[in-house]
Amino acid sequence: MTEIQQQLFALQDKQFRQFHSSLIPTLLPEKVIGVRMPAMRKLAKQIARQPDVEAFMNTLPHKYYDENTLHGLILCEEKDYDKTIALLNRWLPFVDNWATCDLVQPRAFRLAAKQQPDRLLTDCLRWARSTEPYTIRFGVNMLMTHFLDDLFRPELLARVAAIESDHYYVRMGVAWYFATALAKQYEAALPYIEQHRLADWTHRKTIQKAIESYRISDTHKAYLKTFR
């Protein structure tokens, strides 16, 4: 057992392990140690400052879900954009579940969105075109995080709508993106529902997610329901 694995097992919460494993059906329960997120984030900040952190980051694939999650959290601490991209390109092919994928919000991207948004957009779109399901989902997540507010471009809706995948968590990611777009850019996103431009399953799931959202008005929800 590695030193980092020992640190993770020292933080294990067996009750949380059982609960959390049930939320990630794509993983075998024995792959989950069961470390709660506050403890995981604290450990990630500690390890990110250690001189031998690269040894852990270069050891892929990891054995446990919690190691992969820790890897993602350490990656988020990196401030340099180029290094962040290099770390992501190496790590993303090994992401094998929605939970690990969705927790990654790189610190370097917040600054890039202000200083070099075109470069960030290029990388997000490249990930969204991947053949790896969780890399696609990550790309869509980043488009949703950084390009549905001040940096919004209507043509990005078409780019996400064009994603073709039978993978459940890719389709769910696209539906989540469009539900968020309906909350933030309603007029631009609405034609994708009115004209049924999304695949049937994604169309229905988008409407469901939008109706569940507290950010969408009751009037808009009532109209969206007519397209179910």
Side-chain angles (χ1 to χ4, degrees):
M1 186 179 293
T2 68
E3 182 179 348
I4 286 179
Q5 287 172 351
Q6 291 175 347
Q7 290 176 287
L8 289 168
F9 272 99
L11 297 169
Q12 184 183 54
D13 182 324
K14 292 184 179 179
Q15 185 175 359
F16 175 73
R17 174 182 180 271
Q18 183 176 1
F19 166 73
H20 199 56
S21 296
S22 68
L23 301 178
I24 315 173
T26 57
L27 288 184
L28 295 173
E30 55 265 32
K31 293 291 186 179
V32 180
I33 296 172
V35 181
R36 290 183 178 272
M37 193 53 62
M40 188 80 79
R41 292 187 186 280
K42 183 178 180 180
L43 181 61
K45 289 181 181 295
Q46 294 172 355
I47 295 175
R49 295 192 294 266
Q50 295 177 0
D52 59 347
V53 63
E54 289 190 7
F56 171 69
M57 303 296 273
N58 288 330
T59 304
L60 289 167
H62 297 299
K63 181 176 181 180
Y64 295 103
Y65 156 80
D66 307 71
E67 287 181 280
N68 223 17
T69 298
L70 182 66
H71 188 129
L73 291 172
I74 293 171
L75 188 155
C76 288
E77 294 296 309
E78 177 58 51
K79 297 178 182 178
D80 181 79
Y81 185 83
D82 289 330
K83 188 170 182 180
T84 298
I85 295 300
L87 289 169
L88 281 166
N89 288 340
R90 176 165 169 73
W91 176 71
L92 281 171
F94 297 99
V95 175
D96 57 2
N97 67 90
W98 69 266
T100 299
C101 178
D102 291 2
L103 70 84
V104 177
Q105 293 288 339
R107 177 182 296 187
F109 286 8
R110 295 197 293 271
L111 184 60
K114 297 177 181 179
Q115 296 185 349
Q116 44 185 342
D118 288 344
R119 188 177 180 196
L120 175 60
L121 178 58
T122 296
D123 284 315
C124 292
L125 291 173
R126 173 172 56 82
W127 290 317
R129 293 193 302 269
S130 173
T131 57
E132 298 287 343
Y134 293 104
T135 301
I136 299 171
R137 184 178 169 104
F138 177 74
V140 172
N141 285 351
M142 292 301 98
L143 290 170
M144 179 171 62
T145 299
H146 298 288
F147 294 94
L148 280 179
D149 294 297
D150 294 342
L151 297 176
F152 176 67
R153 304 179 189 183
E155 63 268 23
L156 295 180
L157 296 171
R159 301 291 289 272
V160 176
I163 293 173
E164 296 183 3
S165 176
D166 293 329
H167 195 280
Y168 174 83
Y169 288 104
V170 172
R171 294 190 296 169
M172 183 63 79
V174 173
W176 185 19
Y177 170 90
F178 271 96
T180 305
L182 285 166
K184 293 187 172 186
Q185 304 291 343
Y186 181 77
E187 297 299 330
L190 184 59
Y192 286 83
I193 302 302
E194 292 178 322
Q195 299 169 23
H196 210 122
R197 297 187 197 175
L198 303 174
D200 288 345
W201 186 95
T202 309
H203 174 90
R204 294 192 298 271
K205 188 61 69 172
T206 296
I207 294 173
Q208 176 191 327
K209 290 294 183 182
I211 291 171
E212 293 171 355
S213 174
Y214 67 89
R215 295 181 293 181
I216 295 177
S217 71
D218 289 341
T219 300
H220 287 169
K221 288 179 181 179
Y223 184 59
L224 290 169
K225 287 178 181 178
T226 67
F227 294 97
R228 287 192 294 193

